[in-house]
Amino acid sequence: MADQPVAPARASTLEMERIRYDPEWEIPTNYPPRKKPENPLLAKIKSTFTTTTPSTLPPPAASAPAVVNIDSKETSLPPSTSHSANGVPLPPGKQHPGLLSRYLPPEKRCFGHLTRRAFLLLLLAILFILALALGLGLGLGLRHRQSESIPLPWTSAGKGVQTGSLTFYDPSSAAGACGWYSSDNDSVVAVSHALFDAGLDASGTKNSNGNVLCGRMIRVWEEGKEGDKKVVEVVDRCTGCEVRDLDLGDGVFGGVTGQGQDRGRVRGGWEWV
């Protein structure tokens, strides 16, 4: 008698229960968190504030794609591709040239053979020379204008009556800027450093003893006392005086003011003799 297949035995109810329930160590514990239902009122409020109006601006135009001709191996770049100053397309990733490269490309030769760097250096040198010449011209012009306002005897500024402060000093303490020694009783005067130096420049020498103002005579008086005029001789240079101030010898200062050295500074007038 041939063997016949035996049907599998039906599992009992106890075995089914055991199969349906997994052991505790096989039960997964990392279930994904269950999303809580959103409150309808909060959802409505959120949708109210997050609703956006459609933009009225037209959509941006798409750039034209590059057209490649496989047969001729030529590529036409889109219109937005950057080009150099001479129209040659720039390599990919290279930015658009700046203003200097646009008007003065690096490969351009100036005056036939000068490179861009040599041309820029030459231009800077020319600008520097022009700025230096302009500064010197302005300085000389300003100095000339100042010299015109200094009351030298042979200039228009030196004609007529000059007014300034009158002070006194001791001429016997040392030789003056003109190289001469004077006593307290000598009628001598020290003119301002600006006036003395202007006379030295006009003399054409750097030796103060050869100043053309040395020995020149000045008629001086106190303001309001034009009747008491004294004639004094230029022998020194006053470093602390203004342009039209005079520093008189202490002996002649008393004769001009009439009150001796009690008055250290007075207003007065003077003129070249």
Side-chain angles (χ1 to χ4, degrees):
M1 185 174 179
D3 295 336
Q4 296 181 357
V6 181
R10 188 175 183 181
S12 61
T13 305
L14 183 59
E15 293 175 351
M16 294 294 293
E17 293 292 335
R18 186 172 62 253
I19 293 172
R20 187 173 61 182
Y21 296 102
D22 296 332
E24 183 177 355
W25 57 274
E26 292 185 0
I27 297 176
T29 58
N30 56 346
Y31 290 106
R34 182 177 296 178
K35 187 176 181 181
K36 296 181 180 181
E38 190 174 4
N39 192 330
L41 181 59
L42 294 178
K44 185 175 181 181
I45 296 174
K46 184 177 180 181
S47 62
T48 302
F49 287 100
T50 57
T51 301
T52 57
T53 58
S55 176
T56 58
L57 298 176
S63 59
V67 180
V68 181
N69 190 342
I70 300 177
D71 298 334
S72 62
K73 298 182 180 180
E74 293 180 355
T75 304
S76 62
L77 298 175
S80 60
T81 304
S82 298
H83 290 69
S84 63
N86 54 7
V88 179
L90 296 175
K94 189 174 181 180
Q95 297 181 356
H96 197 277
L99 187 62
L100 178 61
S101 298
R102 180 180 302 176
Y103 294 100
L104 191 63
E107 65 275 6
K108 184 177 180 180
R109 296 287 178 172
C110 302
F111 302 109
H113 61 280
L114 288 179
T115 61
R116 185 177 74 167
R117 182 177 181 181
F119 174 74
L120 292 177
L121 291 177
L122 178 62
L123 184 61
L124 289 177
I126 294 174
L127 293 177
F128 176 77
I129 294 174
L130 289 177
L132 183 61
L134 181 62
L136 290 176
L138 291 176
L140 292 176
L142 182 60
R143 183 176 180 181
H144 179 69
R145 181 176 298 179
Q146 290 178 350
S147 63
E148 289 181 349
S149 62
I150 294 178
L152 291 169
W154 55 85
T155 62
S156 59
K159 304 297 181 181
V161 176
Q162 313 294 328
T163 58
S165 297
L166 304 180
T167 54
F168 66 89
Y169 76 106
D170 183 8
S172 62
S173 60
C178 294
W180 304 336
Y181 289 90
S182 304
S183 66
D184 296 340
N185 297 325
D186 292 337
S187 298
V188 293
V189 63
V191 296
S192 65
H193 61 93
L195 180 57
F196 191 90
D197 294 343
L200 188 63
D201 293 339
S203 304
T205 177
K206 296 182 179 180
N207 187 359
S208 63
N209 295 343
N211 196 323
V212 295
L213 296 182
C214 291
R216 293 297 296 257
M217 308 304 290
I218 293 177
R219 186 179 294 108
V220 58
W221 61 90
E222 184 182 358
E223 192 175 50
K225 296 181 180 180
E226 286 76 4
D228 299 331
K229 296 181 179 180
K230 301 292 182 180
V231 178
V232 294
E233 184 182 10
V234 177
V235 297
D236 208 347
R237 176 178 182 268
C238 176
T239 57
C241 295
E242 297 295 333
V243 178
R244 289 172 171 78
D245 293 349
L246 295 180
D247 198 18
L248 301 172
D250 49 9
V252 72
F253 180 82
V256 172
T257 61
Q259 298 186 17
Q261 301 176 3
D262 296 336
R263 304 169 63 187
R265 181 182 297 269
V266 297
R267 296 289 298 176
W270 60 273
E271 59 185 358
W272 296 102
V273 177

